[in-house]
Amino acid sequence: MTLDRKKNQLRFLMLCIIWGSTWIGTKAGIEVVPPLLFAGTRFTAAGVLLLLYGWARGEAATFKVGDSIRFVAVSMLMITLCYGPLFWGMQYIDTGTAAVLEMSLTPIALLCFALLLREECLDVRRVLAILLGVSGLIVLFWPSAADGDVSKPEAFAGASFWGGLAVASAAFTYGYGSVLARPLLRSYPALSVAGITTLVGGIALLAVALLSEPGALSALSGNWGKIAWTGWSFLVIFGSLIGYTTYMRLLRDIGASRAGSYAFVSPVIAVALGALFFSEQVTVLDVVGIIVMLIGAYLAMAETSVTKPTALEM
């Protein structure tokens, strides 16, 4: 086993553990702080710290004006349009359910974009994978959508349905953004790409929060309480500084499909932590839906070819 392969395996394992745990920090924060503001401050702070860290290490790359449109697109897709709906939707569904939805759909979304870009051929195996993913969604959400049987009172009519839909949409915006980010990682260090996209996406989230989110302006006072601040700090340090940068490096070295397979492991961690810290119940039907979705995600990504790493190494 080569050194690069061992390094990427360690990165992959670390990413699974970190991103399986970030759901707890998110849940702790959005119970106190308006979700878009919570996400915006997190990514803005992380972006500034990442760029300062890269500058201190002498790894800041010369920015090309011609790449600005792609940088903005990646920032909007991977940060603003992913984490905005994700944090908002998590107010209305359980942590474990949110994790399974977003993470299980991520590999399937990556496959869909690969097919649209004609990078892969559609076959029976891939059709079956997508059908299983959709079937898992139905099994997981149909009871609550039809009967209103949710773990907590509905904030408004259809809150759990719309919350779940928002979380699911995050997988597709993140998947598309990952595909668009790959060319940037061939020209810039992963640390620079991570810093620019988190900063730009975070500022956009902050702007939307301050313009439209109830309570966002008053929440800028920072009177969030110890638990919310602990969750925020965990997300900035581990979720963004370490986790997001690690994902960018994996995306560069092994490709979007294989990097996105962290989604096969992280939901198990998220479900366990949700049950442990928030007493979220996992029913037999939930387990069935989870298994079906994970099988679909596995079938979608199992035969992805290995992509050669680029020359940039960090």
Side-chain angles (χ1 to χ4, degrees):
M1 185 182 294
T2 65
L3 180 61
D4 286 342
R5 186 177 177 185
K6 288 182 178 179
K7 184 185 295 184
N8 284 328
Q9 287 181 344
L10 288 174
R11 286 172 177 167
F12 179 80
L13 179 61
M14 181 170 65
L15 185 66
C16 290
I17 294 172
I18 290 174
W19 278 1
S21 305
T22 52
W23 299 88
I24 299 301
T26 301
K27 195 73 171 181
I30 64 176
E31 288 185 346
V32 179
V33 187
L36 296 184
L37 181 77
F38 189 70
T41 54
R42 165 202 171 177
F43 285 110
T44 301
V48 171
L49 292 174
L50 281 168
L51 291 175
L52 288 175
Y53 180 61
W55 177 78
R57 291 184 58 178
E59 295 178 352
T62 302
F63 182 76
K64 301 173 184 176
V65 178
D67 292 328
S68 58
I69 294 178
R70 186 174 290 268
F71 265 112
V72 171
V74 171
S75 302
M76 295 299 104
L77 288 166
M78 295 190 72
I79 304 298
T80 310
L81 296 177
C82 172
Y83 287 94
L86 180 63
F87 278 33
W88 179 84
M90 282 187 66
Q91 298 175 104
Y92 309 114
I93 61 176
D94 287 344
T95 302
T97 302
V100 171
L101 264 177
E102 200 269 341
M103 291 184 179
S104 296
L105 285 174
T106 292
I108 296 175
L110 288 168
L111 171 64
C112 289
F113 288 117
L115 292 172
L116 288 173
L117 295 173
R118 298 182 180 180
E119 294 180 358
E120 298 183 29
C121 297
L122 188 64
D123 55 25
V124 175
R125 183 188 183 103
R126 283 162 170 72
V127 171
L128 178 61
I130 294 174
L131 289 176
L132 283 173
V134 173
S135 299
L137 277 172
I138 294 172
V139 170
L140 199 62
F141 276 97
W142 183 258
S144 60
D147 303 327
D149 181 18
V150 294
S151 58
K152 55 185 176 181
E154 293 272 75
F156 56 88
S160 61
F161 172 78
W162 290 109
L165 188 63
V167 171
S169 73
F172 289 91
T173 54
Y174 198 82
Y176 188 33
S178 295
V179 174
L180 292 182
R182 193 83 193 285
L184 294 175
L185 292 164
R186 298 189 184 104
S187 303
Y188 299 90
L191 197 60
S192 295
V193 176
I196 292 171
T197 54
T198 51
L199 179 60
V200 173
I203 290 173
L205 274 172
L206 267 179
V208 173
L210 293 174
L211 288 172
S212 63
E213 192 170 35
L217 191 59
S218 61
L220 281 178
S221 64
N223 187 24
W224 299 353
K226 184 182 295 185
I227 294 177
W229 272 114
T230 300
W232 185 90
S233 301
F234 178 82
L235 291 172
V236 170
I237 296 170
F238 291 95
S240 296
L241 297 184
I242 300 175
Y244 188 63
T245 305
T246 298
Y247 177 74
M248 285 293 181
R249 288 168 177 164
L250 287 171
L251 184 64
R252 175 196 65 194
D253 291 346
I254 65 177
S257 295
R258 297 181 70 214
S261 62
Y262 72 86
F264 303 146
V265 183
S266 293
V268 179
I269 298 171
V271 169
L273 292 177
L276 180 63
F277 289 100
F278 292 97
S279 300
E280 295 177 350
Q281 296 183 352
V282 181
T283 67
V284 174
L285 196 60
D286 290 336
V287 173
V288 172
I290 288 168
I291 291 173
V292 170
M293 291 178 69
L294 292 180
I295 291 174
Y298 174 78
L299 289 176
M301 310 308 293
E303 294 185 346
T304 303
S305 59
V306 178
T307 305
K308 293 181 181 180
T310 60
L312 282 172
E313 180 58 45
M314 292 173 56

